[in-house]
Amino acid sequence: MADKNNKVKFNLKNAHYALLTIAEDGTVSFGTPTPMPGSVSISLDANGEPENFYADGVAYYVINNNMGYDGDLELAMIPESFRTEVLKEVLDAKGVLIENSEVELASFALLFEFDGDQKHIRHALYNCSASRPKIEGKTNEDSKEVQTETLTIKATPLASGMVKAKTGDATDATTYANWYKAVYLPTEATEAATLAKAATTAATTTTATKSTT
């Protein structure tokens, strides 16, 4: 990474999504990030504010109500892969996308970045859901105007409390370079997931052994 730190940021780009899977034992895993070309804008508001608990005539305790972020991601067009994998529209044998009210939408991680005056600032929101986009458009007038599509995004905490990650001034070069190859998880979270999986496997093996004896 460069020695100099960013002073400003600009230009949203490189949006990706990665399907989120949460196993019965709570283990979190992500699919390989898939590009969402045509990023136009993103605006996510913090959801939840600190609240004071008063006792003895003072603010005795501050309650942290971090419920993630809500907002919009505007794209030139929503990729067909996102429609089928996340919004669960079905592509039939004749190549037509079918929307069904009975399906459950998928959760995903959202990755994107901003340019900086020195280096890009890369983000990952871990537990996102998207609402169905509007169907809208208008006629051409004297000149053609690009009509974009917008996803309303809700990013909530994982069971571990993790909401998001972003690269910083001292992010190591390997982590930075691999940001879009696999969803970044802190080492502590990765170790916890491995231990949980190992514990589940051990319990299953013990149960199976007892049932055969």
Side-chain angles (χ1 to χ4, degrees), residues 115-185:
D115 284 338
D117 57 304
Q118 299 296 329
K119 53 196 173 189
H120 306 318
I121 306 165
R122 295 180 167 170
H123 291 253
L125 293 163
Y126 288 117
N127 186 16
C128 296
S129 59
S131 62
R132 293 176 298 125
K134 292 180 181 179
I135 301 173
E136 59 182 344
K138 60 182 180 179
T139 190
N140 288 335
E141 298 179 355
D142 294 334
S143 60
K144 292 181 180 179
E145 181 181 344
V146 174
Q147 296 165 28
T148 60
E149 296 182 330
T150 299
L151 290 167
T152 296
I153 303 290
K154 181 179 287 291
T156 54
L158 292 169
S160 64
M162 290 196 305
V163 177
K164 70 180 182 74
K166 76 168 187 173
T167 57
D169 294 336
T171 300
D172 69 77
T174 300
T175 299
Y176 183 85
N178 292 335
W179 198 258
Y180 298 110
K181 295 179 181 178
V183 175
Y184 174 78
L185 286 170

Side-chain angles (χ1 to χ4, degrees), residues 32-49:
T32 302
T34 301
M36 300 177 74
S39 302
V40 177
S41 67
I42 190 168
S43 178
L44 299 173
D45 294 326
N47 184 2
E49 297 291 339

Side-chain angles (χ1 to χ4, degrees), residues 46-203:
N47 184 2
E49 297 291 339
E51 292 183 8
N52 291 333
F53 167 72
Y54 289 91
D56 293 334
V58 297
Y60 196 76
Y61 182 74
V62 178
I63 303 169
N64 179 28
N65 290 319
N66 184 343
M67 298 305 296
Y69 297 85
D70 296 332
D72 295 328
L73 171 64
E74 183 183 6
L75 301 164
M77 286 191 70
I78 298 168
E80 189 171 287
S81 63
F82 188 89
R83 288 185 175 276
T84 57
E85 294 181 350
V86 177
L87 301 180
K88 296 301 182 181
E89 296 179 12
V90 177
L91 194 64
D92 72 8
K94 295 186 177 180
V96 177
L97 286 166
I98 307 298
E99 181 180 316
N100 189 321
S101 65
E102 300 298 320
V103 301
E104 291 189 10
L105 307 188
S107 297
F108 60 97
L110 178 64
L111 288 69
F112 57 91
E113 69 182 58
F114 301 109
D115 284 338
D117 57 304
Q118 299 296 329
K119 53 196 173 189
H120 306 318
I121 306 165
R122 295 180 167 170
H123 291 253
L125 293 163
Y126 288 117
N127 186 16
C128 296
S129 59
S131 62
R132 293 176 298 125
K134 292 180 181 179
I135 301 173
E136 59 182 344
K138 60 182 180 179
T139 190
N140 288 335
E141 298 179 355
D142 294 334
S143 60
K144 292 181 180 179
E145 181 181 344
V146 174
Q147 296 165 28
T148 60
E149 296 182 330
T150 299
L151 290 167
T152 296
I153 303 290
K154 181 179 287 291
T156 54
L158 292 169
S160 64
M162 290 196 305
V163 177
K164 70 180 182 74
K166 76 168 187 173
T167 57
D169 294 336
T171 300
D172 69 77
T174 300
T175 299
Y176 183 85
N178 292 335
W179 198 258
Y180 298 110
K181 295 179 181 178
V183 175
Y184 174 78
L185 286 170
T187 302
E188 295 83 357
T190 304
E191 290 175 350
T194 301
L195 290 172
K197 186 174 182 179
T200 301
T201 302

